[in-house]
C-alpha cells in the first residue's frame, strides 16, 4: 500500500512538472515581473583578499557593512511576502568579513518561509567564524573560491599570504561537515593554473577530495573581463577572457538579471545584478524608503526593462558584460524551476 502511494505521488509530480513545461513563456515572464525570485544581501563590500581576476580593487563605492536594523527590516518584509531563498554573496567582497554573519543566518533560518541560505567566500575567515558555528547556523550552501597547488600561486592570484590557513580551513570544515552527515552542501570553485596534474596530485587536494564530492569541485577556464578591467595577464595560466557578446545581440532583449532577484547593498540601495554591478549603477530603490515589494514593482526597474525593450538602451555596466543572457532564453532553460519555486512560495 505504501509503495503504491509513493508511486502515485511520484507519477503526480511528473505529471505536474509536465504541465508546468507547457506554460507559455510570456506568462512565466509576467510572474517574474510581479514577484522577484529571491533576494541577496551584501552584508559588506569589504574583502580580505585582492584577487587579480576580480574587480574589487577598482571599486569606488564607499565601503561599509549593512546595519542590523536594515537587515531585519528587509528580512521581515521578505518573510511576510512568503520568503524563498537568500544569498549572502556580495558582488565583490567577502561575507565572512561581517563578524555577526552567523547571527544573521540564524535569524533568517528561524523562519519556515526561508528555504535555502547560501554564501560564497574565499575561506580565509572560516576558522575565525567557527566551523561548527557555520555548519549548524542554518546555512544550506557554502561555496568556496580558492587556489590549490602552492603558496606562490595563491599569493600571485589572491594577493595575500594565507595559503596554509585556507587549505587547513577547507579541510577542517569539509571533514566536520562529513562527520555531521553533510548538513551543508559545500562546493569548491578553483581558480587554478590549467596544468591540472600540478594541483590534482597535490597532497592537500587529495585529502580534501575525501570529504567534498567530485561533482562539487569545479574550475574556470574562461573569466569575465569586468567591463574591460581584467586582462588575460590577470588570470591563472592557461585561462582566457570570455568572448564579448555583440552589443546588437544584447539590445534585442533585457538580461535575465532584470527579472530574477533583488540585491540589497550594504547602504540600503537595491540593485538587480549581483554578478558585475560593483558600483550599484542599476539602482532600483532604497529599502530605507520603500518596502522590497514596492521597489520590485516600482517605476525605476520597470523603466530599465522598458528602455531596453523599446530602444535597446541598457546600463553601461551591461554593455561589456560577458554573463548576459536574454530573459527569454533564461526562461526556456529554467521554466520548471521558476514555476516550482513560485508555487512553493505561493501555496
Amino acid at each position: 500500500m505504501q509503495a503504491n502511494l509513493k508511486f502515485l505521488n511520484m507519477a503526480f509530480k511528473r505529471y505536474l512538472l509536465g504541465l508546468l513545461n507547457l506554460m507559455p513563456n510570456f506568462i512565466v515572464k509576467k510572474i517574474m515581473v510581479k514577484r522577484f525570485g529571491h533576494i541577496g544581501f551584501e552584508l559588506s563590500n569589504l574583502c580580505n583578499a585582492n584577487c587579480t581576476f576580480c574587480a574589487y580593487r577598482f571599486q569606488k563605492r564607499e565601503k561599509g557593512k549593512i546595519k542590523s536594523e536594515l537587515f531585519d527590516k528587509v528580512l521581515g518584509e521578505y518573510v511576510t511576502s512568503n520568503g524563498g531563498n537568500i544569498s549572502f554573496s556580495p558582488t565583490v567582497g567577502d561575507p565572512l568579513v561581517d563578524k555577526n554573519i552567523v547571527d544573521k543566518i540564524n535569524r533568517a533560518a528561524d523562519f519556515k518561509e526561508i528555504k535555502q541560505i547560501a554564501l560564497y567566500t574565499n575561506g580565509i575567515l572560516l576558522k575565525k567564524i567557527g566551523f561548527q558555528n557555520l555548519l549548524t547556523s542554518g546555512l544550506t550552501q557554502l561555496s568556496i573560491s580558492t587556489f590549490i597547488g602552492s603558496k606562490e600561486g595563491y599569493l600571485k592570484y589572491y594577493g595575500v599570504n594565507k595559503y596554509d590557513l585556507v587549505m587547513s580551513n577547507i579541510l577542517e570544515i569539509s571533514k566536520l561537515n562529513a562527520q555531521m552527515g553533510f548538513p551543508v552542501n559545500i562546493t569548491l570553485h578553483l581558480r587554478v593554473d590549467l596544468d591540472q596534474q600540478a594541483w590534482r596530485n597535490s597532497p592537500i587536494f587529495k585529502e580534501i577530495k575525501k570529504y567534498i564530492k567530485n561533482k562539487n569541485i569545479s574550475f574556470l577556464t574562461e573569466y569575465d573581463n569586468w567591463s574591460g578591467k581584467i586582462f588575460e595577464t590577470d588570470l591563472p595560466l592557461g585561462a582566457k577572457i570570455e568572448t564579448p557578446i555583440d552589443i546588437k545581440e544584447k539590445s534585442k532583449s533585457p538580461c535575465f538579471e532584470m527579472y530574477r532577484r533583488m540585491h540589497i547593498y550594504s547602504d540600503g540601495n537595491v540593485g538587480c545584478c549581483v554578478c558585475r554591478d560593483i558600483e550599484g549603477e542599476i539602482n532600483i530603490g532604497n529599502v530605507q524608503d520603500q518596502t522590497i515589494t514596492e521597489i520590485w514593482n516600482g517605476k525605476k526597474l520597470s523603466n530599465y526593462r522598458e528602455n531596453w525593450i523599446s530602444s535597446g538602451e541598457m546600463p553601461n555596466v551591461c554593455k561589456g558584460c560577458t554573463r548576459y543572457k536574454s530573459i527569454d532564453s533564461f526562461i526556456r532553460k529554467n521554466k520548471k524551476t521558476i514555476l516550482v519555486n513560485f508555487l512553493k512560495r505561493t501555496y
Side-chain angles (χ1 to χ4, degrees):
M1 180 66 175
Q2 198 169 23
N4 287 338
L5 286 173
K6 188 176 181 181
F7 172 78
L8 288 172
N9 190 34
M10 289 174 64
F12 176 73
K13 283 182 178 178
R14 285 196 295 269
Y15 172 71
L16 182 59
L17 289 173
L19 286 180
L20 293 179
N21 212 31
L22 296 174
M23 180 83 72
N25 288 355
F26 76 91
I27 293 179
V28 180
K29 189 189 290 187
K30 282 188 175 182
I31 289 171
M32 297 176 77
V33 166
K34 190 68 180 171
R35 212 280 191 182
F36 46 89
H38 61 288
I39 63 170
F41 286 96
E42 177 191 77
L43 300 181
S44 166
N45 59 337
L46 292 157
C47 196
N48 46 8
N50 194 23
C51 303
T52 59
F53 48 82
C54 175
Y56 173 73
R57 63 188 184 275
F58 302 109
Q59 180 182 216
K60 295 175 184 175
R61 260 190 317 128
E62 185 178 349
K63 295 180 176 68
K65 298 178 183 178
I66 198 167
K67 292 180 180 177
S68 185
E69 56 268 27
L70 211 58
F71 172 80
D72 288 337
K73 177 183 183 292
V74 176
L75 178 61
E77 290 171 2
Y78 191 41
V79 167
T80 301
S81 66
N82 289 332
N85 299 341
I86 287 179
S87 168
F88 287 118
S89 300
T91 306
V92 291
D94 194 280
L96 300 189
V97 169
D98 181 355
K99 63 182 180 181
N100 297 315
I101 188 169
V102 169
D103 177 57
K104 290 184 175 71
I105 297 171
N106 286 157
R107 276 141 68 187
D110 276 345
F111 294 100
K112 68 180 188 304
E113 291 86 356
I114 304 303
K115 307 304 180 187
Q116 295 180 26
I117 304 174
L119 66 83
Y120 198 100
T121 176
N122 57 36
I124 293 172
L125 290 172
L126 285 171
K127 184 176 182 179
K128 190 169 184 179
I129 294 295
F131 304 136
Q132 184 145 348
N133 289 341
L134 207 51
L135 294 175
T136 58
S137 64
L139 187 70
T140 58
Q141 173 71 43
L142 175 63
S143 302
I144 305 171
S145 165
T146 196
F147 175 94
I148 286 182
S150 69
K151 291 182 182 180
E152 296 75 22
Y154 185 89
L155 179 59
K156 178 182 177 181
Y157 299 122
Y158 279 76
V160 288
N161 190 17
K162 299 288 184 181
Y163 181 71
D164 289 339
L165 172 65
V166 172
M167 293 302 103
S168 173
N169 284 351
I170 294 171
L171 179 58
E172 290 305 312
I173 197 167
S174 57
K175 186 176 182 179
L176 181 59
N177 191 52
Q179 290 171 352
M180 294 170 66
F182 299 98
V184 177
N185 185 45
I186 298 178
T187 55
L188 202 56
H189 304 264
L190 302 179
R191 311 295 180 241
V192 284
D193 293 332
L194 297 185
D195 176 9
Q196 293 186 44
Q197 295 311 311
W199 51 269
R200 285 191 182 278
N201 292 329
S202 66
I204 186 62
F205 180 71
K206 289 180 177 179
E207 194 64 24
I208 289 169
K209 265 193 66 178
K210 294 178 182 177
Y211 309 106
I212 299 181
K213 297 170 184 176
N214 235 356
K215 66 176 183 177
N216 282 8
I217 301 174
S218 64
F219 61 94
L220 278 184
T221 59
E222 294 185 328
Y223 291 71
D224 184 70
N225 66 10
W226 290 85
S227 297
K229 295 179 177 66
I230 304 299
F231 303 92
E232 285 201 358
T233 50
D234 297 315
L235 308 181
L237 296 176
K240 63 180 182 179
I241 296 290
E242 288 179 297
T243 304
I245 301 165
D246 192 286
I247 199 78
K248 289 182 180 178
E249 183 62 32
K250 287 183 179 179
S251 66
K252 294 176 184 177
S253 170
C255 179
F256 75 102
E257 292 288 12
M258 291 276 180
Y259 298 80
R260 185 171 72 110
R261 61 176 279 174
M262 301 184 76
H263 185 54
I264 318 298
Y265 289 101
S266 53
D267 58 3
N269 281 323
V270 181
C272 56
C273 177
V274 67
C275 297
R276 293 296 176 264
D277 192 7
I278 59 174
E279 304 300 346
E281 177 190 342
I282 308 171
N283 186 311
I284 61 174
N286 191 295
V287 292
Q288 297 179 88
D289 306 321
Q290 295 174 286
T291 68
I292 54 176
T293 300
E294 289 169 343
I295 291 171
W296 189 257
N297 293 303
K299 267 289 179 191
K300 282 189 173 183
L301 181 54
S302 176
N303 286 342
Y304 274 120
R305 294 178 185 140
E306 287 305 316
N307 290 340
W308 201 324
I309 291 167
S310 62
S311 63
E313 181 186 341
M314 66 191 77
N316 287 328
V317 69
C318 302
K319 293 175 182 177
C321 178
T322 59
R323 282 198 75 258
Y324 165 83
K325 181 180 298 226
S326 75
I327 178 58
D328 299 309
S329 61
F330 180 77
I331 288 174
R332 281 196 297 271
K333 188 175 180 180
N334 300 281
K335 185 188 292 185
K336 287 181 183 178
T337 302
I338 295 166
L339 291 173
V340 166
N341 288 339
F342 170 74
L343 290 171
K344 282 180 179 178
R345 286 195 311 267
T346 310
Y347 302 107

